[in-house]
mmCIF file with all atom_site columns, all heavy atoms in Angstrom:
data_model
loop_
_atom_site.group_PDB
_atom_site.id
_atom_site.type_symbol
_atom_site.label_atom_id
_atom_site.label_alt_id
_atom_site.label_comp_id
_atom_site.label_asym_id
_atom_site.label_entity_id
_atom_site.label_seq_id
_atom_site.pdbx_PDB_ins_code
_atom_site.Cartn_x
_atom_site.Cartn_y
_atom_site.Cartn_z
_atom_site.occupancy
_atom_site.B_iso_or_equiv
_atom_site.pdbx_formal_charge
_atom_site.auth_seq_id
_atom_site.auth_comp_id
_atom_site.auth_asym_id
_atom_site.auth_atom_id
_atom_site.pdbx_PDB_model_num
ATOM 1   N N   . SER Z 1 1  ? 15.288 4.420  90.222  1.00 0.00 ? 81  SER Z N   1
ATOM 2   C CA  . SER Z 1 1  ? 15.054 4.666  88.792  1.00 0.00 ? 81  SER Z CA  1
ATOM 3   C C   . SER Z 1 1  ? 14.135 3.649  88.131  1.00 0.00 ? 81  SER Z C   1
ATOM 4   O O   . SER Z 1 1  ? 13.164 4.011  87.465  1.00 0.00 ? 81  SER Z O   1
ATOM 5   C CB  . SER Z 1 1  ? 16.380 4.700  88.036  1.00 0.00 ? 81  SER Z CB  1
ATOM 6   O OG  . SER Z 1 1  ? 17.144 5.795  88.434  1.00 0.00 ? 81  SER Z OG  1
ATOM 7   N N   . LYS Z 1 2  ? 14.452 2.369  88.274  1.00 0.00 ? 82  LYS Z N   1
ATOM 8   C CA  . LYS Z 1 2  ? 13.738 1.336  87.520  1.00 0.00 ? 82  LYS Z CA  1
ATOM 9   C C   . LYS Z 1 2  ? 12.455 0.899  88.216  1.00 0.00 ? 82  LYS Z C   1
ATOM 10  O O   . LYS Z 1 2  ? 11.407 0.797  87.576  1.00 0.00 ? 82  LYS Z O   1
ATOM 11  C CB  . LYS Z 1 2  ? 14.654 0.122  87.290  1.00 0.00 ? 82  LYS Z CB  1
ATOM 12  C CG  . LYS Z 1 2  ? 16.070 0.448  86.832  1.00 0.00 ? 82  LYS Z CG  1
ATOM 13  C CD  . LYS Z 1 2  ? 16.149 1.125  85.472  1.00 0.00 ? 82  LYS Z CD  1
ATOM 14  C CE  . LYS Z 1 2  ? 17.595 1.347  85.073  1.00 0.00 ? 82  LYS Z CE  1
ATOM 15  N NZ  . LYS Z 1 2  ? 17.777 1.989  83.786  1.00 0.00 ? 82  LYS Z NZ  1
ATOM 16  N N   . ALA Z 1 3  ? 12.510 0.618  89.507  1.00 0.00 ? 83  ALA Z N   1
ATOM 17  C CA  . ALA Z 1 3  ? 11.341 0.085  90.224  1.00 0.00 ? 83  ALA Z CA  1
ATOM 18  C C   . ALA Z 1 3  ? 10.195 1.090  90.296  1.00 0.00 ? 83  ALA Z C   1
ATOM 19  O O   . ALA Z 1 3  ? 9.021  0.702  90.237  1.00 0.00 ? 83  ALA Z O   1
ATOM 20  C CB  . ALA Z 1 3  ? 11.738 -0.343 91.632  1.00 0.00 ? 83  ALA Z CB  1
ATOM 21  N N   . TYR Z 1 4  ? 10.533 2.372  90.440  1.00 0.00 ? 84  TYR Z N   1
ATOM 22  C CA  . TYR Z 1 4  ? 9.499  3.397  90.637  1.00 0.00 ? 84  TYR Z CA  1
ATOM 23  C C   . TYR Z 1 4  ? 9.361  4.334  89.427  1.00 0.00 ? 84  TYR Z C   1
ATOM 24  O O   . TYR Z 1 4  ? 8.705  5.373  89.533  1.00 0.00 ? 84  TYR Z O   1
ATOM 25  C CB  . TYR Z 1 4  ? 9.815  4.217  91.898  1.00 0.00 ? 84  TYR Z CB  1
ATOM 26  C CG  . TYR Z 1 4  ? 9.828  3.381  93.153  1.00 0.00 ? 84  TYR Z CG  1
ATOM 27  C CD1 . TYR Z 1 4  ? 11.023 2.872  93.654  1.00 0.00 ? 84  TYR Z CD1 1
ATOM 28  C CD2 . TYR Z 1 4  ? 8.653  3.073  93.843  1.00 0.00 ? 84  TYR Z CD2 1
ATOM 29  C CE1 . TYR Z 1 4  ? 11.051 2.087  94.808  1.00 0.00 ? 84  TYR Z CE1 1
ATOM 30  C CE2 . TYR Z 1 4  ? 8.664  2.300  94.990  1.00 0.00 ? 84  TYR Z CE2 1
ATOM 31  C CZ  . TYR Z 1 4  ? 9.865  1.806  95.469  1.00 0.00 ? 84  TYR Z CZ  1
ATOM 32  O OH  . TYR Z 1 4  ? 9.884  1.032  96.613  1.00 0.00 ? 84  TYR Z OH  1
ATOM 33  N N   . ALA Z 1 5  ? 9.969  3.977  88.301  1.00 0.00 ? 85  ALA Z N   1
ATOM 34  C CA  . ALA Z 1 5  ? 9.915  4.806  87.086  1.00 0.00 ? 85  ALA Z CA  1
ATOM 35  C C   . ALA Z 1 5  ? 10.353 6.240  87.391  1.00 0.00 ? 85  ALA Z C   1
ATOM 36  O O   . ALA Z 1 5  ? 9.666  7.213  87.106  1.00 0.00 ? 85  ALA Z O   1
ATOM 37  C CB  . ALA Z 1 5  ? 8.503  4.787  86.486  1.00 0.00 ? 85  ALA Z CB  1
ATOM 38  N N   . MET Z 1 6  ? 11.554 6.361  87.986  1.00 0.00 ? 86  MET Z N   1
ATOM 39  C CA  . MET Z 1 6  ? 12.060 7.662  88.423  1.00 0.00 ? 86  MET Z CA  1
ATOM 40  C C   . MET Z 1 6  ? 13.443 7.963  87.825  1.00 0.00 ? 86  MET Z C   1
ATOM 41  O O   . MET Z 1 6  ? 14.278 8.592  88.477  1.00 0.00 ? 86  MET Z O   1
ATOM 42  C CB  . MET Z 1 6  ? 12.129 7.711  89.959  1.00 0.00 ? 86  MET Z CB  1
ATOM 43  C CG  . MET Z 1 6  ? 10.780 7.689  90.649  1.00 0.00 ? 86  MET Z CG  1
ATOM 44  S SD  . MET Z 1 6  ? 10.908 7.630  92.463  1.00 0.00 ? 86  MET Z SD  1
ATOM 45  C CE  . MET Z 1 6  ? 11.575 9.270  92.826  1.00 0.00 ? 86  MET Z CE  1
ATOM 46  N N   . THR Z 1 7  ? 13.665 7.541  86.587  1.00 0.00 ? 87  THR Z N   1
ATOM 47  C CA  . THR Z 1 7  ? 14.997 7.714  85.994  1.00 0.00 ? 87  THR Z CA  1
ATOM 48  C C   . THR Z 1 7  ? 15.471 9.171  86.037  1.00 0.00 ? 87  THR Z C   1
ATOM 49  O O   . THR Z 1 7  ? 16.627 9.449  86.334  1.00 0.00 ? 87  THR Z O   1
ATOM 50  C CB  . THR Z 1 7  ? 15.021 7.208  84.541  1.00 0.00 ? 87  THR Z CB  1
ATOM 51  O OG1 . THR Z 1 7  ? 13.912 7.769  83.836  1.00 0.00 ? 87  THR Z OG1 1
ATOM 52  C CG2 . THR Z 1 7  ? 14.931 5.695  84.490  1.00 0.00 ? 87  THR Z CG2 1
ATOM 53  N N   . GLY Z 1 8  ? 14.580 10.105 85.725  1.00 0.00 ? 88  GLY Z N   1
ATOM 54  C CA  . GLY Z 1 8  ? 14.970 11.508 85.651  1.00 0.00 ? 88  GLY Z CA  1
ATOM 55  C C   . GLY Z 1 8  ? 15.119 12.203 86.991  1.00 0.00 ? 88  GLY Z C   1
ATOM 56  O O   . GLY Z 1 8  ? 15.638 13.321 87.051  1.00 0.00 ? 88  GLY Z O   1
ATOM 57  N N   . TRP Z 1 9  ? 14.711 11.548 88.083  1.00 0.00 ? 89  TRP Z N   1
ATOM 58  C CA  . TRP Z 1 9  ? 14.864 12.149 89.414  1.00 0.00 ? 89  TRP Z CA  1
ATOM 59  C C   . TRP Z 1 9  ? 16.311 12.038 89.895  1.00 0.00 ? 89  TRP Z C   1
ATOM 60  O O   . TRP Z 1 9  ? 16.711 12.742 90.822  1.00 0.00 ? 89  TRP Z O   1
ATOM 61  C CB  . TRP Z 1 9  ? 13.938 11.471 90.417  1.00 0.00 ? 89  TRP Z CB  1
ATOM 62  C CG  . TRP Z 1 9  ? 12.481 11.666 90.144  1.00 0.00 ? 89  TRP Z CG  1
ATOM 63  C CD1 . TRP Z 1 9  ? 11.708 10.976 89.258  1.00 0.00 ? 89  TRP Z CD1 1
ATOM 64  C CD2 . TRP Z 1 9  ? 11.601 12.620 90.771  1.00 0.00 ? 89  TRP Z CD2 1
ATOM 65  N NE1 . TRP Z 1 9  ? 10.412 11.433 89.291  1.00 0.00 ? 89  TRP Z NE1 1
ATOM 66  C CE2 . TRP Z 1 9  ? 10.309 12.450 90.217  1.00 0.00 ? 89  TRP Z CE2 1
ATOM 67  C CE3 . TRP Z 1 9  ? 11.781 13.607 91.747  1.00 0.00 ? 89  TRP Z CE3 1
ATOM 68  C CZ2 . TRP Z 1 9  ? 9.215  13.208 90.599  1.00 0.00 ? 89  TRP Z CZ2 1
ATOM 69  C CZ3 . TRP Z 1 9  ? 10.684 14.364 92.137  1.00 0.00 ? 89  TRP Z CZ3 1
ATOM 70  C CH2 . TRP Z 1 9  ? 9.421  14.174 91.561  1.00 0.00 ? 89  TRP Z CH2 1
ATOM 71  N N   . ARG Z 1 10 ? 17.077 11.164 89.266  1.00 0.00 ? 90  ARG Z N   1
ATOM 72  C CA  . ARG Z 1 10 ? 18.505 10.982 89.558  1.00 0.00 ? 90  ARG Z CA  1
ATOM 73  C C   . ARG Z 1 10 ? 18.760 10.728 91.038  1.00 0.00 ? 90  ARG Z C   1
ATOM 74  O O   . ARG Z 1 10 ? 19.329 11.552 91.749  1.00 0.00 ? 90  ARG Z O   1
ATOM 75  C CB  . ARG Z 1 10 ? 19.338 12.184 89.074  1.00 0.00 ? 90  ARG Z CB  1
ATOM 76  C CG  . ARG Z 1 10 ? 19.163 12.567 87.612  1.00 0.00 ? 90  ARG Z CG  1
ATOM 77  C CD  . ARG Z 1 10 ? 19.209 11.401 86.636  1.00 0.00 ? 90  ARG Z CD  1
ATOM 78  N NE  . ARG Z 1 10 ? 20.426 10.619 86.707  1.00 0.00 ? 90  ARG Z NE  1
ATOM 79  C CZ  . ARG Z 1 10 ? 20.450 9.272  86.763  1.00 0.00 ? 90  ARG Z CZ  1
ATOM 80  N NH1 . ARG Z 1 10 ? 19.332 8.560  86.782  1.00 0.00 ? 90  ARG Z NH1 1
ATOM 81  N NH2 . ARG Z 1 10 ? 21.596 8.647  86.827  1.00 0.00 ? 90  ARG Z NH2 1
ATOM 82  N N   . LEU Z 1 11 ? 18.339 9.565  91.506  1.00 0.00 ? 91  LEU Z N   1
ATOM 83  C CA  . LEU Z 1 11 ? 18.603 9.216  92.900  1.00 0.00 ? 91  LEU Z CA  1
ATOM 84  C C   . LEU Z 1 11 ? 18.926 7.722  93.036  1.00 0.00 ? 91  LEU Z C   1
ATOM 85  O O   . LEU Z 1 11 ? 18.124 6.867  92.675  1.00 0.00 ? 91  LEU Z O   1
ATOM 86  C CB  . LEU Z 1 11 ? 17.409 9.574  93.801  1.00 0.00 ? 91  LEU Z CB  1
ATOM 87  C CG  . LEU Z 1 11 ? 17.789 9.432  95.277  1.00 0.00 ? 91  LEU Z CG  1
ATOM 88  C CD1 . LEU Z 1 11 ? 17.385 10.647 96.086  1.00 0.00 ? 91  LEU Z CD1 1
ATOM 89  C CD2 . LEU Z 1 11 ? 17.238 8.161  95.893  1.00 0.00 ? 91  LEU Z CD2 1
ATOM 90  N N   . GLY Z 1 12 ? 20.135 7.467  93.515  1.00 0.00 ? 92  GLY Z N   1
ATOM 91  C CA  . GLY Z 1 12 ? 20.563 6.098  93.802  1.00 0.00 ? 92  GLY Z CA  1
ATOM 92  C C   . GLY Z 1 12 ? 21.226 6.060  95.164  1.00 0.00 ? 92  GLY Z C   1
ATOM 93  O O   . GLY Z 1 12 ? 21.350 7.092  95.837  1.00 0.00 ? 92  GLY Z O   1
ATOM 94  N N   . TRP Z 1 13 ? 21.655 4.881  95.573  1.00 0.00 ? 93  TRP Z N   1
ATOM 95  C CA  . TRP Z 1 13 ? 22.317 4.769  96.876  1.00 0.00 ? 93  TRP Z CA  1
ATOM 96  C C   . TRP Z 1 13 ? 23.229 3.552  96.929  1.00 0.00 ? 93  TRP Z C   1
ATOM 97  O O   . TRP Z 1 13 ? 23.124 2.647  96.107  1.00 0.00 ? 93  TRP Z O   1
ATOM 98  C CB  . TRP Z 1 13 ? 21.303 4.724  98.020  1.00 0.00 ? 93  TRP Z CB  1
ATOM 99  C CG  . TRP Z 1 13 ? 20.160 3.750  97.858  1.00 0.00 ? 93  TRP Z CG  1
ATOM 100 C CD1 . TRP Z 1 13 ? 18.911 4.017  97.349  1.00 0.00 ? 93  TRP Z CD1 1
ATOM 101 C CD2 . TRP Z 1 13 ? 20.138 2.354  98.220  1.00 0.00 ? 93  TRP Z CD2 1
ATOM 102 N NE1 . TRP Z 1 13 ? 18.124 2.889  97.359  1.00 0.00 ? 93  TRP Z NE1 1
ATOM 103 C CE2 . TRP Z 1 13 ? 18.852 1.847  97.900  1.00 0.00 ? 93  TRP Z CE2 1
ATOM 104 C CE3 . TRP Z 1 13 ? 21.070 1.481  98.781  1.00 0.00 ? 93  TRP Z CE3 1
ATOM 105 C CZ2 . TRP Z 1 13 ? 18.485 0.518  98.123  1.00 0.00 ? 93  TRP Z CZ2 1
ATOM 106 C CZ3 . TRP Z 1 13 ? 20.711 0.156  99.001  1.00 0.00 ? 93  TRP Z CZ3 1
ATOM 107 C CH2 . TRP Z 1 13 ? 19.432 -0.312 98.674  1.00 0.00 ? 93  TRP Z CH2 1
ATOM 108 N N   . VAL Z 1 14 ? 24.143 3.587  97.898  1.00 0.00 ? 94  VAL Z N   1
ATOM 109 C CA  . VAL Z 1 14 ? 25.056 2.474  98.151  1.00 0.00 ? 94  VAL Z CA  1
ATOM 110 C C   . VAL Z 1 14 ? 24.928 2.086  99.615  1.00 0.00 ? 94  VAL Z C   1
ATOM 111 O O   . VAL Z 1 14 ? 24.888 2.954  100.492 1.00 0.00 ? 94  VAL Z O   1
ATOM 112 C CB  . VAL Z 1 14 ? 26.519 2.867  97.850  1.00 0.00 ? 94  VAL Z CB  1
ATOM 113 C CG1 . VAL Z 1 14 ? 27.456 1.678  98.096  1.00 0.00 ? 94  VAL Z CG1 1
ATOM 114 C CG2 . VAL Z 1 14 ? 26.670 3.383  96.424  1.00 0.00 ? 94  VAL Z CG2 1
ATOM 115 N N   . ALA Z 1 15 ? 24.851 0.774  99.880  1.00 0.00 ? 95  ALA Z N   1
ATOM 116 C CA  . ALA Z 1 15 ? 24.924 0.242  101.241 1.00 0.00 ? 95  ALA Z CA  1
ATOM 117 C C   . ALA Z 1 15 ? 26.171 -0.621 101.314 1.00 0.00 ? 95  ALA Z C   1
ATOM 118 O O   . ALA Z 1 15 ? 26.355 -1.525 100.486 1.00 0.00 ? 95  ALA Z O   1
ATOM 119 C CB  . ALA Z 1 15 ? 23.677 -0.570 101.577 1.00 0.00 ? 95  ALA Z CB  1
ATOM 120 N N   . ALA Z 1 16 ? 27.050 -0.341 102.282 1.00 0.00 ? 96  ALA Z N   1
ATOM 121 C CA  . ALA Z 1 16 ? 28.347 -1.015 102.336 1.00 0.00 ? 96  ALA Z CA  1
ATOM 122 C C   . ALA Z 1 16 ? 28.926 -0.865 103.747 1.00 0.00 ? 96  ALA Z C   1
ATOM 123 O O   . ALA Z 1 16 ? 28.385 -0.110 104.566 1.00 0.00 ? 96  ALA Z O   1
ATOM 124 C CB  . ALA Z 1 16 ? 29.299 -0.396 101.305 1.00 0.00 ? 96  ALA Z CB  1
ATOM 125 N N   . PRO Z 1 17 ? 30.021 -1.553 104.050 1.00 0.00 ? 97  PRO Z N   1
ATOM 126 C CA  . PRO Z 1 17 ? 30.687 -1.334 105.330 1.00 0.00 ? 97  PRO Z CA  1
ATOM 127 C C   . PRO Z 1 17 ? 30.971 0.150  105.551 1.00 0.00 ? 97  PRO Z C   1
ATOM 128 O O   . PRO Z 1 17 ? 31.279 0.887  104.604 1.00 0.00 ? 97  PRO Z O   1
ATOM 129 C CB  . PRO Z 1 17 ? 31.988 -2.137 105.190 1.00 0.00 ? 97  PRO Z CB  1
ATOM 130 C CG  . PRO Z 1 17 ? 31.638 -3.247 104.244 1.00 0.00 ? 97  PRO Z CG  1
ATOM 131 C CD  . PRO Z 1 17 ? 30.685 -2.615 103.258 1.00 0.00 ? 97  PRO Z CD  1
ATOM 132 N N   . GLU Z 1 18 ? 30.895 0.576  106.805 1.00 0.00 ? 98  GLU Z N   1
ATOM 133 C CA  . GLU Z 1 18 ? 30.936 2.008  107.113 1.00 0.00 ? 98  GLU Z CA  1
ATOM 134 C C   . GLU Z 1 18 ? 32.213 2.685  106.613 1.00 0.00 ? 98  GLU Z C   1
ATOM 135 O O   . GLU Z 1 18 ? 32.181 3.830  106.155 1.00 0.00 ? 98  GLU Z O   1
ATOM 136 C CB  . GLU Z 1 18 ? 30.772 2.215  108.621 1.00 0.00 ? 98  GLU Z CB  1
ATOM 137 C CG  . GLU Z 1 18 ? 30.500 3.654  108.994 1.00 0.00 ? 98  GLU Z CG  1
ATOM 138 C CD  . GLU Z 1 18 ? 30.033 3.822  110.430 1.00 0.00 ? 98  GLU Z CD  1
ATOM 139 O OE1 . GLU Z 1 18 ? 29.551 2.847  111.049 1.00 0.00 ? 98  GLU Z OE1 1
ATOM 140 O OE2 . GLU Z 1 18 ? 30.156 4.947  110.945 1.00 0.00 ? 98  GLU Z OE2 1
ATOM 141 N N   . TRP Z 1 19 ? 33.355 1.972  106.648 1.00 0.00 ? 99  TRP Z N   1
ATOM 142 C CA  . TRP Z 1 19 ? 34.604 2.602  106.211 1.00 0.00 ? 99  TRP Z CA  1
ATOM 143 C C   . TRP Z 1 19 ? 34.581 2.917  104.716 1.00 0.00 ? 99  TRP Z C   1
ATOM 144 O O   . TRP Z 1 19 ? 35.159 3.913  104.282 1.00 0.00 ? 99  TRP Z O   1
ATOM 145 C CB  . TRP Z 1 19 ? 35.810 1.732  106.578 1.00 0.00 ? 99  TRP Z CB  1
ATOM 146 C CG  . TRP Z 1 19 ? 35.905 0.398  105.887 1.00 0.00 ? 99  TRP Z CG  1
ATOM 147 C CD1 . TRP Z 1 19 ? 35.343 -0.767 106.285 1.00 0.00 ? 99  TRP Z CD1 1
ATOM 148 C CD2 . TRP Z 1 19 ? 36.620 0.104  104.676 1.00 0.00 ? 99  TRP Z CD2 1
ATOM 149 N NE1 . TRP Z 1 19 ? 35.646 -1.790 105.401 1.00 0.00 ? 99  TRP Z NE1 1
ATOM 150 C CE2 . TRP Z 1 19 ? 36.433 -1.285 104.418 1.00 0.00 ? 99  TRP Z CE2 1
ATOM 151 C CE3 . TRP Z 1 19 ? 37.395 0.855  103.791 1.00 0.00 ? 99  TRP Z CE3 1
ATOM 152 C CZ2 . TRP Z 1 19 ? 36.995 -1.920 103.302 1.00 0.00 ? 99  TRP Z CZ2 1
ATOM 153 C CZ3 . TRP Z 1 19 ? 37.950 0.220  102.687 1.00 0.00 ? 99  TRP Z CZ3 1
ATOM 154 C CH2 . TRP Z 1 19 ? 37.760 -1.148 102.458 1.00 0.00 ? 99  TRP Z CH2 1
ATOM 155 N N   . ILE Z 1 20 ? 33.859 2.089  103.954 1.00 0.00 ? 100 ILE Z N   1
ATOM 156 C CA  . ILE Z 1 20 ? 33.725 2.357  102.513 1.00 0.00 ? 100 ILE Z CA  1
ATOM 157 C C   . ILE Z 1 20 ? 32.781 3.545  102.292 1.00 0.00 ? 100 ILE Z C   1
ATOM 158 O O   . ILE Z 1 20 ? 33.052 4.420  101.469 1.00 0.00 ? 100 ILE Z O   1
ATOM 159 C CB  . ILE Z 1 20 ? 33.230 1.106  101.762 1.00 0.00 ? 100 ILE Z CB  1
ATOM 160 C CG1 . ILE Z 1 20 ? 34.257 -0.026 101.870 1.00 0.00 ? 100 ILE Z CG1 1
ATOM 161 C CG2 . ILE Z 1 20 ? 32.960 1.429  100.283 1.00 0.00 ? 100 ILE Z CG2 1
ATOM 162 C CD1 . ILE Z 1 20 ? 33.815 -1.346 101.258 1.00 0.00 ? 100 ILE Z CD1 1
ATOM 163 N N   . ILE Z 1 21 ? 31.686 3.556  103.037 1.00 0.00 ? 101 ILE Z N   1
ATOM 164 C CA  . ILE Z 1 21 ? 30.727 4.674  102.923 1.00 0.00 ? 101 ILE Z CA  1
ATOM 165 C C   . ILE Z 1 21 ? 31.404 5.995  103.274 1.00 0.00 ? 101 ILE Z C   1
ATOM 166 O O   . ILE Z 1 21 ? 31.187 7.018  102.610 1.00 0.00 ? 101 ILE Z O   1
ATOM 167 C CB  . ILE Z 1 21 ? 29.489 4.421  103.817 1.00 0.00 ? 101 ILE Z CB  1
ATOM 168 C CG1 . ILE Z 1 21 ? 28.702 3.196  103.322 1.00 0.00 ? 101 ILE Z CG1 1
ATOM 169 C CG2 . ILE Z 1 21 ? 28.591 5.661  103.873 1.00 0.00 ? 101 ILE Z CG2 1
ATOM 170 C CD1 . ILE Z 1 21 ? 28.174 3.300  101.900 1.00 0.00 ? 101 ILE Z CD1 1
ATOM 171 N N   . LYS Z 1 22 ? 32.254 5.993  104.286 1.00 0.00 ? 102 LYS Z N   1
ATOM 172 C CA  . LYS Z 1 22 ? 32.988 7.219  104.641 1.00 0.00 ? 102 LYS Z CA  1
ATOM 173 C C   . LYS Z 1 22 ? 33.885 7.670  103.489 1.00 0.00 ? 102 LYS Z C   1
ATOM 174 O O   . LYS Z 1 22 ? 34.016 8.864  103.209 1.00 0.00 ? 102 LYS Z O   1
ATOM 175 C CB  . LYS Z 1 22 ? 33.829 6.980  105.901 1.00 0.00 ? 102 LYS Z CB  1
ATOM 176 C CG  . LYS Z 1 22 ? 33.011 6.986  107.189 1.00 0.00 ? 102 LYS Z CG  1
ATOM 177 C CD  . LYS Z 1 22 ? 33.906 6.771  108.402 1.00 0.00 ? 102 LYS Z CD  1
ATOM 178 C CE  . LYS Z 1 22 ? 33.096 6.888  109.686 1.00 0.00 ? 102 LYS Z CE  1
ATOM 179 N NZ  . LYS Z 1 22 ? 33.919 6.563  110.885 1.00 0.00 ? 102 LYS Z NZ  1
ATOM 180 N N   . GLY Z 1 23 ? 34.491 6.705  102.815 1.00 0.00 ? 103 GLY Z N   1
ATOM 181 C CA  . GLY Z 1 23 ? 35.331 7.035  101.654 1.00 0.00 ? 103 GLY Z CA  1
ATOM 182 C C   . GLY Z 1 23 ? 34.514 7.624  100.524 1.00 0.00 ? 103 GLY Z C   1
ATOM 183 O O   . GLY Z 1 23 ? 34.906 8.624  99.902  1.00 0.00 ? 103 GLY Z O   1
ATOM 184 N N   . ILE Z 1 24 ? 33.366 7.004  100.240 1.00 0.00 ? 104 ILE Z N   1
ATOM 185 C CA  . ILE Z 1 24 ? 32.490 7.519  99.184  1.00 0.00 ? 104 ILE Z CA  1
ATOM 186 C C   . ILE Z 1 24 ? 31.982 8.913  99.563  1.00 0.00 ? 104 ILE Z C   1
ATOM 187 O O   . ILE Z 1 24 ? 31.877 9.806  98.711  1.00 0.00 ? 104 ILE Z O   1
ATOM 188 C CB  . ILE Z 1 24 ? 31.313 6.549  98.928  1.00 0.00 ? 104 ILE Z CB  1
ATOM 189 C CG1 . ILE Z 1 24 ? 31.836 5.224  98.350  1.00 0.00 ? 104 ILE Z CG1 1
ATOM 190 C CG2 . ILE Z 1 24 ? 30.280 7.169  97.981  1.00 0.00 ? 104 ILE Z CG2 1
ATOM 191 C CD1 . ILE Z 1 24 ? 30.776 4.143  98.203  1.00 0.00 ? 104 ILE Z CD1 1
ATOM 192 N N   . ASN Z 1 25 ? 31.701 9.126  100.839 1.00 0.00 ? 105 ASN Z N   1
ATOM 193 C CA  . ASN Z 1 25 ? 31.236 10.424 101.321 1.00 0.00 ? 105 ASN Z CA  1
ATOM 194 C C   . ASN Z 1 25 ? 32.305 11.501 101.067 1.00 0.00 ? 105 ASN Z C   1
ATOM 195 O O   . ASN Z 1 25 ? 31.993 12.617 100.623 1.00 0.00 ? 105 ASN Z O   1
ATOM 196 C CB  . ASN Z 1 25 ? 30.914 10.334 102.811 1.00 0.00 ? 105 ASN Z CB  1
ATOM 197 C CG  . ASN Z 1 25 ? 30.234 11.588 103.333 1.00 0.00 ? 105 ASN Z CG  1
ATOM 198 O OD1 . ASN Z 1 25 ? 29.159 11.949 102.869 1.00 0.00 ? 105 ASN Z OD1 1
ATOM 199 N ND2 . ASN Z 1 25 ? 30.863 12.253 104.283 1.00 0.00 ? 105 ASN Z ND2 1
ATOM 200 N N   . LYS Z 1 26 ? 33.568 11.153 101.332 1.00 0.00 ? 106 LYS Z N   1
ATOM 201 C CA  . LYS Z 1 26 ? 34.661 12.101 101.084 1.00 0.00 ? 106 LYS Z CA  1
ATOM 202 C C   . LYS Z 1 26 ? 34.740 12.448 99.593  1.00 0.00 ? 106 LYS Z C   1
ATOM 203 O O   . LYS Z 1 26 ? 34.865 13.614 99.214  1.00 0.00 ? 106 LYS Z O   1
ATOM 204 C CB  . LYS Z 1 26 ? 35.987 11.479 101.541 1.00 0.00 ? 106 LYS Z CB  1
ATOM 205 C CG  . LYS Z 1 26 ? 37.178 12.424 101.409 1.00 0.00 ? 106 LYS Z CG  1
ATOM 206 C CD  . LYS Z 1 26 ? 38.507 11.680 101.457 1.00 0.00 ? 106 LYS Z CD  1
ATOM 207 C CE  . LYS Z 1 26 ? 38.831 11.155 102.824 1.00 0.00 ? 106 LYS Z CE  1
ATOM 208 N NZ  . LYS Z 1 26 ? 40.231 10.616 102.894 1.00 0.00 ? 106 LYS Z NZ  1
ATOM 209 N N   . LEU Z 1 27 ? 34.642 11.418 98.754  1.00 0.00 ? 107 LEU Z N   1
ATOM 210 C CA  . LEU Z 1 27 ? 34.688 11.597 97.304  1.00 0.00 ? 107 LEU Z CA  1
ATOM 211 C C   . LEU Z 1 27 ? 33.519 12.455 96.820  1.00 0.00 ? 107 LEU Z C   1
ATOM 212 O O   . LEU Z 1 27 ? 33.697 13.439 96.085  1.00 0.00 ? 107 LEU Z O   1
ATOM 213 C CB  . LEU Z 1 27 ? 34.649 10.215 96.643  1.00 0.00 ? 107 LEU Z CB  1
ATOM 214 C CG  . LEU Z 1 27 ? 34.700 10.108 95.130  1.00 0.00 ? 107 LEU Z CG  1
ATOM 215 C CD1 . LEU Z 1 27 ? 36.032 10.602 94.596  1.00 0.00 ? 107 LEU Z CD1 1
ATOM 216 C CD2 . LEU Z 1 27 ? 34.482 8.654  94.712  1.00 0.00 ? 107 LEU Z CD2 1
ATOM 217 N N   . GLN Z 1 28 ? 32.312 12.095 97.265  1.00 0.00 ? 108 GLN Z N   1
ATOM 218 C CA  . GLN Z 1 28 ? 31.107 12.799 96.829  1.00 0.00 ? 108 GLN Z CA  1
ATOM 219 C C   . GLN Z 1 28 ? 31.117 14.250 97.289  1.00 0.00 ? 108 GLN Z C   1
ATOM 220 O O   . GLN Z 1 28 ? 30.667 15.150 96.567  1.00 0.00 ? 108 GLN Z O   1
ATOM 221 C CB  . GLN Z 1 28 ? 29.878 12.065 97.388  1.00 0.00 ? 108 GLN Z CB  1
ATOM 222 C CG  . GLN Z 1 28 ? 28.569 12.481 96.754  1.00 0.00 ? 108 GLN Z CG  1
ATOM 223 C CD  . GLN Z 1 28 ? 27.490 11.434 96.962  1.00 0.00 ? 108 GLN Z CD  1
ATOM 224 O OE1 . GLN Z 1 28 ? 27.572 10.338 96.432  1.00 0.00 ? 108 GLN Z OE1 1
ATOM 225 N NE2 . GLN Z 1 28 ? 26.491 11.747 97.761  1.00 0.00 ? 108 GLN Z NE2 1
ATOM 226 N N   . GLY Z 1 29 ? 31.666 14.485 98.476  1.00 0.00 ? 109 GLY Z N   1
ATOM 227 C CA  . GLY Z 1 29 ? 31.748 15.838 99.014  1.00 0.00 ? 109 GLY Z CA  1
ATOM 228 C C   . GLY Z 1 29 ? 32.612 16.754 98.172  1.00 0.00 ? 109 GLY Z C   1
ATOM 229 O O   . GLY Z 1 29 ? 32.443 17.972 98.180  1.00 0.00 ? 109 GLY Z O   1
ATOM 230 N N   . GLN Z 1 30 ? 33.528 16.179 97.424  1.00 0.00 ? 110 GLN Z N   1
ATOM 231 C CA  . GLN Z 1 30 ? 34.426 17.001 96.617  1.00 0.00 ? 110 GLN Z CA  1
ATOM 232 C C   . GLN Z 1 30 ? 33.897 17.288 95.214  1.00 0.00 ? 110 GLN Z C   1
ATOM 233 O O   . GLN Z 1 30 ? 34.331 18.243 94.592  1.00 0.00 ? 110 GLN Z O   1
ATOM 234 C CB  . GLN Z 1 30 ? 35.805 16.331 96.503  1.00 0.00 ? 110 GLN Z CB  1
ATOM 235 C CG  . GLN Z 1 30 ? 36.606 16.342 97.797  1.00 0.00 ? 110 GLN Z CG  1
ATOM 236 C CD  . GLN Z 1 30 ? 37.002 17.742 98.247  1.00 0.00 ? 110 GLN Z CD  1
ATOM 237 O OE1 . GLN Z 1 30 ? 36.679 18.734 97.606  1.00 0.00 ? 110 GLN Z OE1 1
ATOM 238 N NE2 . GLN Z 1 30 ? 37.689 17.824 99.371  1.00 0.00 ? 110 GLN Z NE2 1
#
């Protein structure tokens, strides 16, 4: 959003230990 002036494209990300990413994936999937 900020670095590339892409606020309206709505794209972010998280980098974290794999077990946390799996949890976020379950949440996001729902």
Side-chain angles (χ1 to χ4, degrees):
S81 294
K82 315 296 183 180
Y84 298 96
M86 292 176 69
T87 49
W89 295 81
R90 306 314 303 133
L91 190 131
W93 49 266
V94 181
E98 193 167 340
W99 65 273
I100 297 175
I101 295 300
K102 283 181 176 175
I104 294 174
N105 188 60
K106 184 197 289 189
L107 181 65
Q108 194 160 293
Q110 289 295 0

